[in-house]
Amino acid sequence: MQLKPVYILPRLDSGTARRYSNTLLIEKEIQAKKVNPLQRFLTGLWLLLLAACGAAGSEAPVIAPIIQISKTPEQVVTDFLTAWRQKDYPAMYAQLSPQSQNFYSLPVFQRQYENVETTMNLSDLSFQVGKARLQGAAAEVRYDVSLTSPVFGTIEDRNRIMRLIEQPGGWGIVWSSMDIFDALAAGSRLEIRAQRPARANIYDRDGSLLAEENGTVFALYVAQQDMADVDACLDLLANVLRRQRRTLVALFSNYFPETVFYVGTIDPETNAARGAQLDQTCAVRRIESSIRRYAGLGAAAHVTGYIGQIPADQAESYQRQGYNAGDLVGLAGVERAYEKELAGQAEQVLRIVSPGGVLLRELAGTQGSDPQPVTLTIDRDLQLAVAQALADAYNWAEPNWAASEHSPGAGAVVLDVNTGAVLALASYPTFDPSVFNPKASDYMPDRGVLLSDLNTDPRQPFKNRVTQEQYFPGSTFKIVTTFAAAAERLMTPTELFMCSLEWTNGPRYGDTLPVRSDWRKTDGLEAAGEVTISLALTASCNPFFYEMGGRLFRERGDSALVNYARQLGFGSKTGLDPVLPEVAGNLRPPTSVEQAINNAIGQGELQVTIIQMARMVAAIANGGTVYKPYLVQQIGGMDGGEALFQAQPEVVNTLDEYDASVFQIVQDGMCGVTTNADLGTAVATFRDVQGYTVCGKTGTAQSGRIEPHAWFVSYAPRENPQIAVVVMAEFSREGSEVAAPITRRILDAYFGQSGWLYPDWWNESPYIPLNIPVGETGG
């Protein structure tokens, strides 16, 4: 007959129980379970008996059943709260009575805790458990719990009661959702009620509005049968709305003549200036509405950004910050980067409400903070002029380089050369930021369709071409090569170079191409002849820059030109990110003389952004100070309050080690581009300028397609420069033909001039492809 010993131990988990099911009882496990002296004595007695049985020759292990002594109610509650602190939901669930476990499954139980923790953003909790009050097989345990939230601080929930019931398996918690928070009964919910103040405005440098909360707009509707001349209305709407005419033609084609349909939105200023013309030409009908209004309804969309509904994948994060499901938040540009300042902090109340919305209990609250207006460096009038110059160019040149099969878009930027402040930044095509605002549905039918059309538009209107795209710079990069050649004294200011139509010196430096051509040969022009280093830049003489590229590589090292480019700000983001997303460009040391020569003319693997090019031009204009471009001038301080932030110009690099003559060489070369009647590549555009002088450089860069990128980079005026202007039109024509005229319109606006018209051939002549040989560049 086999004896069946009894172990008198506390209730153990299954793993520990298995370890006790053989003849060995490890002392440290007895200690870990806090076996009392009586239990220890009885266990020792059993071990003696077991040893005796073993001595009698018993070989098989003796299986000993375990009589478990339940944890006290206080221990159960302590284990439950400890597991809550650790977010160990299965361990919490294990402390529930069988009846509660039958009523609530583990997933349901866990979800209720997770929902509460997410809503209040629970980060920690602490507790103190009191003595149990027993009454037969029932017990009550009083306890205090402190819950910590980054939003609401510490929430003290004192004098709570946890109810337990004793059954054969021990004490278990009789659980309900009210054990999370008192009053959180079945069906009720924990929520944050946020009272958010009106969003603050965005201003330009002079206090003019760029984004206005609850601003007035006029939605325009037309019916084609009401128009005396549909084509004239299309022309007018394209100009007023800054939309490409062909997109309006496509819109008109969707409707019968008698159908009234939505065409766009204008602000009160535009309505005052152009409303009568719109009435006469288009017979427009208006719906007046109130919404967050942006200057020019898209003229600065790539700067200000826009607000919209909280993205679904970010809802939890915003909820933890006190946002309600229906709140609108900044999704791009300044609106996104300065969401905290523009939106302020809502006054929040953490509360429990019944299924019908009746308040049951307030747990905590936070005091909100006032929204703060943001003042930008942007000049509103100049910004509108830049956006208009781009839109007008693409409409006027639609029969030519701006046709749908050619140029999809362009970018332009204006910098203060003495501070780095961004005065204007526009990307074309643009869009009305209000399309993201649900309130626009009041006057904008099929808003979702409009938004979908923008997302699928092959011209990519949401892309900021000034900062988010990198391009081959073409001949504009010859500014950097000229600077490097002058700084390295590869030529004196008066030394002459023969600028022929062909360059055959390549093999001397190891070039595998025996002959490279000047762009004048491709264009059927005569050779430039003898030029100085400055005139080589004026003439955009390819052979000169082939020569300098080869010499810099062989005589000064493979990284020589790249090092100068880095000093002038290329190869890294300018610092506008994260307000505006940026790319860094591509600037790597050449691995062969062929690459070095290509880099010297702005081709090869070299790529830059429009904003980088503007920063470089500003540094040349101001004599060697490379500034960090910036957009935000001030936060707060517009309503008599104290400014929370005021920007100061930030110097990234200074080129003090270079002689003033180096800058003079480059400046003279750039100024000749617009004034030298024999060699300047942009004289035709700027010969009749009144009231200012401009220095610049044209660029016609290979793009991977037959149509080149057109560049014009410039600063003005020549004496005491104020601004740098860079314009780039994708897949268009030569820089002198496309980008220079757009720049002229921008400069005229800045200096108060008007009346200059875009070239007639843009509108009257078909597109003629350019023939730029591989490895070369236009003027």
Side-chain angles (χ1 to χ4, degrees), residues 470-706:
Q470 54 196 39
Y471 305 94
F472 300 110
S475 291
T476 58
F477 197 76
K478 292 173 182 176
I479 296 172
V480 180
T481 308
T482 302
F483 187 91
E488 293 294 331
R489 303 187 186 281
L490 298 186
M491 280 187 65
T492 66
T494 57
E495 189 176 348
L496 297 177
F497 177 90
M498 177 55 69
C499 185
S500 304
L501 294 179
E502 293 182 340
W503 182 68
T504 58
N505 285 351
R508 177 189 305 175
Y509 303 108
D511 187 7
T512 55
L513 289 177
V515 178
R516 293 179 184 254
S517 300
D518 188 29
W519 63 271
R520 285 176 173 79
K521 179 179 179 180
T522 305
D523 283 10
L525 302 176
E526 295 182 357
E530 290 186 331
V531 293
T532 63
I533 184 172
S534 291
L535 288 176
L537 182 60
T538 296
S540 197
C541 171
N542 281 353
F544 174 85
F545 293 98
Y546 298 147
E547 185 86 14
M548 294 302 108
R551 289 187 63 185
L552 285 166
F553 183 82
R554 291 301 182 194
E555 298 174 19
R556 299 295 189 269
D558 56 0
S559 298
L561 182 57
V562 166
N563 289 339
Y564 279 100
R566 286 200 180 102
Q567 291 180 66
L568 287 163
F570 293 105
S572 61
K573 297 179 181 181
T574 66
L576 287 177
D577 202 356
V579 179
L580 302 183
E582 277 191 271
V583 294
N586 184 31
L587 183 66
R588 290 179 291 184
T591 58
S592 66
V593 70
E594 289 87 359
Q595 289 184 9
I597 291 171
N598 288 338
N599 285 354
I601 60 169
Q603 294 294 161
E605 297 182 355
L606 177 69
Q607 290 187 308
V608 304
T609 64
I610 296 173
I611 189 66
Q612 287 174 339
M613 191 62 76
R615 176 165 69 169
M616 179 273 290
V617 171
I620 294 297
N622 67 36
T625 302
V626 181
Y627 286 101
K628 174 183 175 181
Y630 64 103
L631 268 168
V632 176
Q633 180 64 52
Q634 179 176 291
I635 297 174
M638 289 299 294
D639 303 316
E642 183 179 354
L644 304 181
F645 165 82
Q646 287 185 315
Q648 297 297 326
E650 183 176 336
V651 176
V652 176
N653 189 28
T654 55
L655 306 177
D656 295 338
E657 67 268 34
Y658 302 111
D659 191 81
S661 63
V662 174
F663 292 94
Q664 192 66 53
I665 287 170
V666 179
Q667 291 166 354
D668 288 347
M670 292 179 68
C671 294
V673 168
T674 62
T675 59
N676 188 312
D678 296 325
L679 299 176
T681 55
V683 171
T685 297
F686 293 97
R687 64 162 52 97
D688 60 345
V689 163
Q690 300 293 323
Y692 66 93
T693 54
V694 57
C695 305
K697 181 70 191 79
T698 54
T700 307
Q702 289 185 353
S703 64
R705 287 173 31 177
I706 191 170

Side-chain angles (χ1 to χ4, degrees), residues 55-300:
S58 174
E59 295 181 358
V62 179
I63 305 302
I66 297 174
I67 297 176
Q68 298 177 336
I69 296 179
S70 298
K71 291 185 292 186
T72 66
E74 294 93 337
Q75 289 174 325
V76 172
V77 173
T78 298
D79 288 350
F80 181 86
L81 295 173
T82 299
W84 186 11
R85 182 169 57 200
Q86 297 169 349
K87 298 186 178 181
D88 187 348
Y89 306 109
M92 296 172 67
Y93 191 73
Q95 311 304 318
L96 270 57
S97 67
Q99 293 91 333
S100 294
Q101 291 182 349
N102 288 334
F103 196 79
Y104 300 99
S105 67
L106 174 59
V108 170
F109 173 83
Q110 178 171 332
R111 192 180 308 119
Q112 294 202 47
Y113 276 92
E114 289 178 333
N115 289 342
V116 166
E117 292 163 8
T118 298
T119 300
M120 65 179 297
N121 195 12
L122 180 67
S123 59
D124 193 15
L125 67 85
S126 59
F127 58 86
Q128 186 171 356
V129 177
K131 293 291 184 180
R133 186 170 69 89
L134 302 177
Q135 186 173 1
E140 289 184 351
V141 176
R142 292 187 178 272
Y143 65 97
D144 298 330
V145 64
S146 299
L147 302 102
T148 303
S149 162
V151 177
F152 297 101
T154 299
I155 301 171
E156 300 288 354
D157 202 14
R158 298 186 178 279
N159 205 27
R160 300 297 313 280
I161 297 177
M162 190 85 73
R163 292 172 174 83
L164 300 90
I165 187 170
E166 186 178 28
Q167 293 186 325
W171 289 99
I173 297 172
V174 182
W175 187 87
S176 76
S177 57
M178 292 178 66
D179 288 310
I180 305 176
F181 278 119
D182 191 23
L184 189 62
S188 61
R189 67 184 184 276
L190 183 70
E191 69 173 20
I192 295 176
R193 184 179 180 223
Q195 295 182 334
R196 188 168 295 280
R199 193 176 184 88
N201 296 330
I202 302 174
Y203 295 92
D204 86 336
R205 63 191 300 110
D206 297 318
S208 297
L209 285 164
L210 292 172
E212 179 186 12
E213 189 71 358
N214 298 319
T216 299
V217 297
F218 296 96
L220 305 181
Y221 290 77
V222 298
Q224 295 171 71
Q225 69 177 12
D226 298 337
M227 305 171 190
D229 186 338
V230 173
D231 284 335
C233 178
L234 287 166
D235 291 340
L236 178 60
L237 288 174
N239 176 261
V240 171
L241 300 176
R242 300 183 189 86
R243 290 181 60 180
Q244 200 147 11
R245 188 182 189 276
R246 66 171 178 263
T247 65
L248 290 168
V249 171
L251 176 66
F252 275 43
S253 68
N254 292 331
Y255 298 98
F256 294 112
E258 66 275 15
T259 304
V260 178
F261 58 94
Y262 170 79
V263 293
T265 309
I266 59 174
D267 54 30
E269 294 85 355
T270 303
N271 189 57
R274 310 293 294 275
Q277 191 178 4
L278 286 167
D279 290 338
Q280 181 178 359
T281 307
C282 298
V284 298
R285 310 175 192 197
R286 295 170 178 79
I287 294 179
E288 183 176 341
S289 189
S290 177
I291 198 171
R292 187 164 179 84
R293 177 171 65 87
Y294 296 90
L297 278 301

Side-chain angles (χ1 to χ4, degrees), residues 428-448:
Y428 184 87
T430 187
F431 58 95
D432 181 353
S434 301
V435 73
F436 288 92
N437 192 330
K439 289 183 65 176
S441 298
D442 294 344
Y443 59 83
M444 192 183 290
D446 301 322
R447 184 178 64 88

